[in-house]
Each structure stands twice: as C-alpha cells, then as structure tokens.
C-alpha cells in the first residue's frame, strides 16, 4: 500500500504473459512482437514512395548501384603472362644483381674453405676416443643415488632448457638487481577495524560472477516461476491495492529526514573528487625527481607573448601535456572555479594567472580556505525542544516605543541625577522611571490619564488653564513637574507626591 499512486499502468488492456488456452496459428510470436501503429506505418510508406520519386526525377535511382568490372578474374590474376620476354629478363637480372640471398633450395656459397673439402670427402668434428659401446657412452651405468644427486645438481640448467620445476617450487624469474625476493608485491592496504568492509569480504566473487549450487537452483525452480509461465499458487493473499515490481526511482528519505522533517542533503560529489585529484597531483609532483616547478613556470612565460602573467586555461593544459603532466582538465577546472581563480569565466576571453596556478600545484604553498562544500537544507533545526523554547524570546522583535513619546537625551538624566538619588532612590527610579520622564512635555490626554485618580476633573481643568496661561510657548503641552508644581499650591504636597508616583508607575 505504500507505493499506491506512484505507478501507472500504461497497458491496461494487454493481458499478462502466460500459457494460452488454445493454439492460434495466425498470431505467431513474430507477429505479436511487432509493435507498430497504423499511422506510423502509413507515414513510413509515404516517405519511401517520396524518396523513390525524388531519385527517379533526378536520374539518380541507379547511379550509385555497384557495377562489375569488364575484365575477368583470371585475367586479373595472370599478370605475368602479359609481360614481354625482355621485361621478364630485366626483372630477373635486377633481382640477381641486388638480391644477396641464396635461391630457394640452394646452399649459399661461401669462400671460407677450399673447393676440395666437401661434406662427402671430409668429416667435421672431433673424433671420439672411447672404444666402448654407444649405449654406455650415451647412458653410462649409474646407481639411483647418483642419478638423483646429479639431477638435483643440474636442476637449475634443466629449468632454463625445459622450463620444468619441482612440485611446489617457487619460480625464479631472474630479475636484475636491486631485487628482493622476500619483498611483498602489490599495494598494501590498511586493515579496516571498524567492520565496514565485512559485507564486501563476505561476497562470493568479485565482479558480476555468482556461484549457484545445485541445492539453490532446485530451490529457485520450486519457488520462482519461469518467464511466461503462470505460477500455480502464490504464498500470499491477493490484494487489489498491491503493486508488483520495485519503484524505478531511488529512495529519497532516510532516518534523519524522518526525525528532523527536512529535505535530503545533496553533497557535491564532483567538487570532492576534484579537490582529491588536486591533492593527489600536489603530492605526485613533489615526489617526481625529474620535475621542477620552475620549468613549468618558464614554459608558461615563454607562451605568454604579451607578458601579462595570464594565459587561457586551454593553453596552460597544452603546455602541461607537452611536459607529460596529464592532469584531468575537467576536475582541475572545477577546482579553479571553486577557488574563483578564473577571470571572466565562461567568456571567450577567460584566463588564469599561471603564477597562482603553479602555487596551487606546489605542495609548499597551502591551499585556499575551502569552507563547507556540502549543500545544507534550508531548515535544519525545525523541532521544538526545551532549550529552543527557552531561547524563543531571542527571535522576537523588541517592543516599539510609543509614537507620542519623545526620547530625551541621556545627558539630561545624568545632569538631574544627584548623590541623594543614588543613595536613597525613589520608588519610581527603582522601577525604571528617569527624571526625563517627569520633565518631558506631554499632551492633555496623557496628563489626564496620569492624574485622573489624584485630582477631579474640575480641579484638573483649573490647573490646565493656569498652565496654558503661564506657558503659552509650549503649544498646548505640559510636563508632569509643571503640573505638580501648580497642584502643590492647591493640595498638600505629601499626599500629592505619593499618589503621583503610584499613578506614573501604572501609566508607564
């Protein structure tokens, strides 16, 4: 049920493969395998007809057909019969003059012996002085111990002549010095102590070779049906929502994505391979005894006709190939593009500073800082934890200042703060009120809100009219200190001060 909706049956009206109930001679396998549409067949026939008419009208229908030569095969093979006698004599004379080898079936004449010495008159070689039998001369009588001893002594010569070794004898290939027969051949690999390579070690064979035993093959024959043969009994109950086969697209989800609810991280494999290729060449050039970085720089300077210290990337690779430095062009271009060393990249006039390029290949110079080369998802931390909930207030916006309230400078508060205020601060100062809050000019609505529980409306109107008559230049604004000075003349000062501070704290 997990794959429901991910596959679409495009051949719903075609039956599945299986055994037919009756033999139909008209529908053979060859006819059934021909998949062609009627419209495509008609279009193909029309194209062939148009092509024949086009060649016929141009007179080229049979122009390119093969033609047989007018001369027969025996005449082509018998070239010597067509030569004259003088031509045959001339060719034979030329061969005898310039060919120093003997003719076929004749001994080559030499002038190293007199003419009277021939193979019939003279016996070549040294005469055998032994007068014994030929069998004793070829195979003299020896005991078995002597035969075995001589056989072991002559074994090294017998290996050279017959390439024959003792059973389980190590082959001696006679390599030149310096050569150590006890050395280990091949690349030495470090053993894996983590157990990650256990799966590869437990595979049957390397490559695509699979060894199947007879017991396993019998089990496959009993369990799995052959192609085109319907299985008699299925080991499970049929479900209409079941999808057969496997999904074509690879899985795009893992355990981390399910827990964190994020999209898959796509690592830049091409960039990792390119950086590894560059690191390999840095070490390889350091170990080469026949290479100096100065030679490469001199060759690049010779190719730089304008002396700008810049060359096209293609030209730099050509110079390196001439010096037998066959570096991978595509991987090196990916590395240079990552480090932003290509000027005017993907333009016709792109170029690279070959001094910087040689420093990149030199292991004595450090590589530029790469940073994080993996592509991370947009949201990695999207699960609410206890720590994240505690730190959620950091992402909130601060409370904005009331638009009607103007900020006073810090200098005014410092000037109006005395030693008494620091030693015995008022209650309003302990709760965050500053002297500037009492001295800033406020409209009538704010003062009415502050003093509504302290004075009545009639008294407030009387005090406000007196303030407006006294301070006409403030454009209808007054401060809390000015309002309290006028109010102190009407009511006792102690009651007014305590009530005012409480009301200011509530309004603030």
């Amino acid at each position: 049920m997990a794959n429901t909706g991910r596959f679409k049956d495009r051949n719903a009206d075609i039956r599945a493969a299986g055994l037919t109930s009756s033999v139909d001679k008209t529908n053979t396998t060859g006819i059934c395998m021909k998949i062609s549409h009627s419209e495509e067949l008609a279009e193909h026939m029309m194209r062939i007809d148009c092509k024949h008419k086009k060649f016929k009208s141009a007179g080229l229908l049979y122009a390119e057909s093969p033609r047989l030569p007018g001369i027969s095969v025996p005449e082509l093979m018998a070239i010597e019969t067509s030569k004259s006698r003088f031509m045959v004599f001339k060719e034979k004379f030329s061969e005898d003059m310039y060919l120093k080898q003997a003719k076929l079936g004749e001994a080559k004449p030499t002038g190293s012996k007199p003419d009277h010495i021939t193979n019939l008159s003279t016996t070549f070689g040294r005469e055998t002085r032994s007068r014994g039998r030929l069998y004793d001369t070829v195979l003299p009588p020896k005991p078995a111990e002597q035969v075995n001893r001589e056989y072991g002594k002559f074994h090294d010569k017998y290996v050279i002549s017959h390439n024959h070794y003792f059973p389980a004898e190590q082959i001696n290939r006679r390599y030149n010095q310096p050569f150590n027969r006890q050395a280990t051949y091949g690349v030495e690999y470090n053993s894996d102590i983590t157990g990650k390579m256990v799966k590869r070690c437990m595979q049957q064979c390397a490559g695509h070779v699979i060894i199947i035993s007879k017991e396993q093959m019998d089990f496959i024959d009993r369990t799995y049906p052959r192609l085109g043969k319907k299985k008699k009994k299925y080991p499970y109950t049929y479900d209409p929502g079941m999808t057969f086969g496997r999904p074509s697209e690879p899985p795009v989800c893992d355990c981390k994505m399910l827990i964190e609810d994020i999209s898959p991280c796509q690592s830049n494999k091409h960039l990792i391979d390119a950086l590894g290729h560059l690191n390999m060449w840095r070490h390889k050039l350091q170990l080469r005894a026949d290479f100096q970085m100065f030679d490469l720089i001199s060759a690049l300077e010779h190719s730089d006709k304008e002396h700008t210290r810049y060359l096209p990337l293609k030209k730099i690779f050509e110079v390196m190939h001439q010096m037998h430095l066959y570096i991978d062009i595509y991987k090196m271009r990916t590395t240079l593009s990552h480090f932003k060393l290509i000027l005017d990249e993907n333009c016709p006039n792109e170029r690279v500073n070959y001094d910087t390029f040689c420093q990149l290949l030199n292991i004595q110079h450090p590589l530029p800082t790469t940073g994080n080369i993996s592509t991370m998802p947009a949201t990695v931390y999207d699960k609410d934890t206890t720590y994240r909930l505690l730190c959620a207030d950091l992402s909130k916006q601060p409370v904005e200042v009331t638009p009607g309230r103007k900020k006073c400078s810090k200098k005014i508060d410092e000037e109006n703060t005395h030693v008494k205020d620091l030693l015995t601060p008022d209650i309003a100062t302990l709760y965050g009120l500053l002297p500037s809050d009492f001295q800033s000019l406020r409209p009538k609505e704010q003062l009415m809100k502050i003093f509504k529980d302290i004075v009545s409306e009639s008294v407030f109107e009387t005090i406000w009219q007196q303030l407006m008559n006294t301070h006409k230049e403030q454009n209808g604004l007054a401060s809390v200190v000015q309002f309290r000075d006028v109010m102190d003349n009407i009511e006792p000062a102690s009651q007014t001060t305590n009530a005012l501070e409480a009301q200011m704290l509530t309004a603030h």
Side-chain angles (χ1 to χ4, degrees), residues 19 93 100 143 217 220 256 298 346 365:
L19 296 175
F93 182 76
K100 300 300 183 182
M217 198 64 195
I220 293 175
K256 179 181 179 181
S298 301
N346 298 326
H365 292 79

Side-chain angles (χ1 to χ4, degrees), residues 72-277:
S72 62
V73 177
E75 293 177 356
L76 289 174
M77 299 299 295
I79 300 176
E80 295 292 336
T81 57
S82 62
K83 296 181 180 180
S84 61
R85 296 179 62 185
F86 177 75
M87 185 60 65
V88 174
F89 172 75
K90 182 180 179 181
E91 292 180 356
K92 185 177 179 181
F93 182 76
S94 300
E95 291 179 359
D96 295 341
M97 182 183 299
Y98 296 103
L99 188 63
K100 300 300 183 182
Q101 296 181 358
K103 295 182 180 181
L104 185 62
E106 296 181 0
K108 186 176 180 181
T110 58
S112 60
K113 64 182 181 62
D115 296 336
H116 65 278
I117 298 177
T118 61
N119 293 336
L120 300 177
S121 62
T122 308
T123 301
F124 298 92
R126 186 175 57 181
E127 182 181 1
T128 304
R129 298 181 179 181
S130 176
R131 299 301 178 181
R133 297 185 305 165
L134 179 61
Y135 186 86
D136 296 337
T137 303
V138 177
L139 293 175
K142 297 179 182 179
E145 182 182 358
Q146 183 181 358
V147 173
N148 294 333
R149 185 170 60 253
E150 291 180 355
Y151 180 73
K153 183 178 180 182
F154 193 76
H155 178 67
D156 54 345
K157 283 85 174 176
Y158 192 73
V159 166
I160 298 175
S161 60
H162 292 76
N163 195 20
H164 178 74
Y165 291 86
F166 289 134
E169 181 184 1
Q170 185 179 5
I171 297 176
N172 185 10
R173 304 188 184 276
R174 293 177 175 82
Y175 291 113
N176 297 328
Q177 296 293 334
F179 175 74
N180 185 13
R181 297 182 59 183
Q182 306 299 328
T184 303
Y185 296 92
V187 180
E188 182 181 1
Y189 292 96
N190 297 327
S191 59
D192 183 20
I193 61 175
T194 61
K196 295 181 179 179
M197 305 301 293
V198 175
K199 180 179 178 181
R200 180 183 296 180
C201 298
M202 295 183 67
Q203 291 179 353
Q204 290 183 351
C205 299
H208 302 283
V209 181
I210 299 177
I211 300 175
I212 300 177
S213 60
K214 185 178 183 302
E215 291 79 6
Q216 185 179 0
M217 198 64 195
D218 294 341
F219 174 77
I220 293 175
D221 292 338
R222 293 193 307 267
T223 310
Y224 299 95
R226 296 297 180 186
L227 181 63
K229 184 178 180 181
K230 185 178 180 181
K231 194 173 183 181
K232 296 180 181 180
K233 184 179 179 181
Y234 289 95
Y236 47 79
T237 58
Y238 176 71
D239 187 2
M242 184 179 297
T243 303
F244 296 91
R246 62 180 182 180
S248 58
E249 56 187 18
V252 295
C253 186
D254 55 4
C255 185
K256 179 181 179 181
M257 301 172 202
L258 294 176
I259 295 176
E260 296 290 342
D261 193 15
I262 58 175
S263 58
C265 302
Q266 299 178 357
S267 60
N268 195 346
K269 184 176 181 300
H270 298 286
L271 180 57
I272 295 175
D273 295 341
L275 293 175
H277 184 73

